[in-house]
Amino acid sequence: MSKIEDFLSAEEEQEIVEAIRISEKNTSGEIRVHIEKTSEIDAFNRALEVFHYLKMDNTKDENGVLIYVAVEDKTFVIYGDKGINSVVPSSFWDSTKDVIQSYFKKGDYKQGLIDGVLKAGEELQKHFPWHHGDIDELSNEISKN
Ligand code: CA
Ligand code: CA
């Protein structure tokens, strides 16, 4: 994989954005996807950096979740804000990770991200259901480096 553009086509990206939109219809949680070529530091620390950079730590209920992907490193991280971590077990994202991993192994990045986003939404919904007056606090567009 030489270029980040080769990872997902514009159409595929839009399908993922749509999955985020659908997920956020059922939860007040805010899901974002960030894709970059490689991480120069530990992927988890990089995810944390991106989380702050995207101002994802500014949601009202502290329930933003970032799916960070470093394409060439073949790695990804799911990072949820402290509002989530304070009410869920540490294994909370395992099912979402498994979904993403199973598709990434087959090289199906688009489906991995779509199903991962939908799964994350389902999990978030249990603790942070959508409520009347909920607003879209964070852009659903995919962020890229
Ligand atoms: Ca929202
Ligand atoms: Ca959003």
Side-chain angles (χ1 to χ4, degrees):
M1 190 116 22
S2 53
K3 284 199 243 89
I4 196 82
E5 289 76 24
D6 299 336
F7 185 63
L8 294 170
S9 69
E11 292 75 25
E12 290 174 329
E13 269 189 38
Q14 282 315 303
E15 286 183 57
I16 295 164
V17 171
E18 179 63 11
I20 295 174
R21 203 182 62 78
I22 290 167
S23 280
E24 291 186 2
K25 275 186 171 177
N26 295 315
T27 176
S28 64
E30 292 286 334
I31 303 169
R32 287 209 69 166
V33 174
H34 178 90
I35 296 166
E36 62 189 16
K37 207 167 163 179
T38 181
S39 175
E40 279 162 18
I41 57 172
D42 172 74
F44 182 83
N45 289 328
R46 177 61 185 150
L48 197 61
E49 223 173 61
V50 171
F51 192 86
H52 290 297
Y53 169 72
L54 293 173
K55 298 189 166 44
M56 292 188 65
D57 38 13
N58 282 341
T59 60
K60 188 165 76 58
D61 295 326
E62 299 180 318
N63 58 2
V65 55
L66 173 68
I67 300 176
Y68 167 85
V69 186
V71 176
E72 281 189 354
D73 305 341
K74 299 191 188 312
T75 190
F76 70 94
V77 172
I78 304 174
Y79 183 80
D81 205 353
K82 47 184 176 291
I84 300 170
N85 295 337
S86 64
V87 295
V88 304
S90 56
S91 60
F92 184 66
W93 296 118
D94 287 358
S95 54
T96 304
K97 271 182 208 154
D98 290 346
V99 167
I100 297 176
Q101 193 76 61
S102 66
Y103 282 103
F104 276 23
K105 268 189 194 145
K106 294 183 275 185
D108 193 346
Y109 301 106
K110 179 199 81 168
Q111 206 57 47
L113 287 169
I114 288 177
D115 285 20
V117 162
L118 295 175
K119 184 70 184 161
E122 261 171 46
E123 296 295 326
L124 281 171
Q125 185 183 358
K126 297 174 191 164
H127 300 274
F128 301 95
W130 186 89
H131 54 83
H132 188 73
D134 180 80
I135 55 164
D136 188 18
E137 293 175 280
L138 299 172
S139 166
N140 302 335
E141 293 299 317
I142 293 175
S143 150
K144 277 180 286 184
N145 252 19

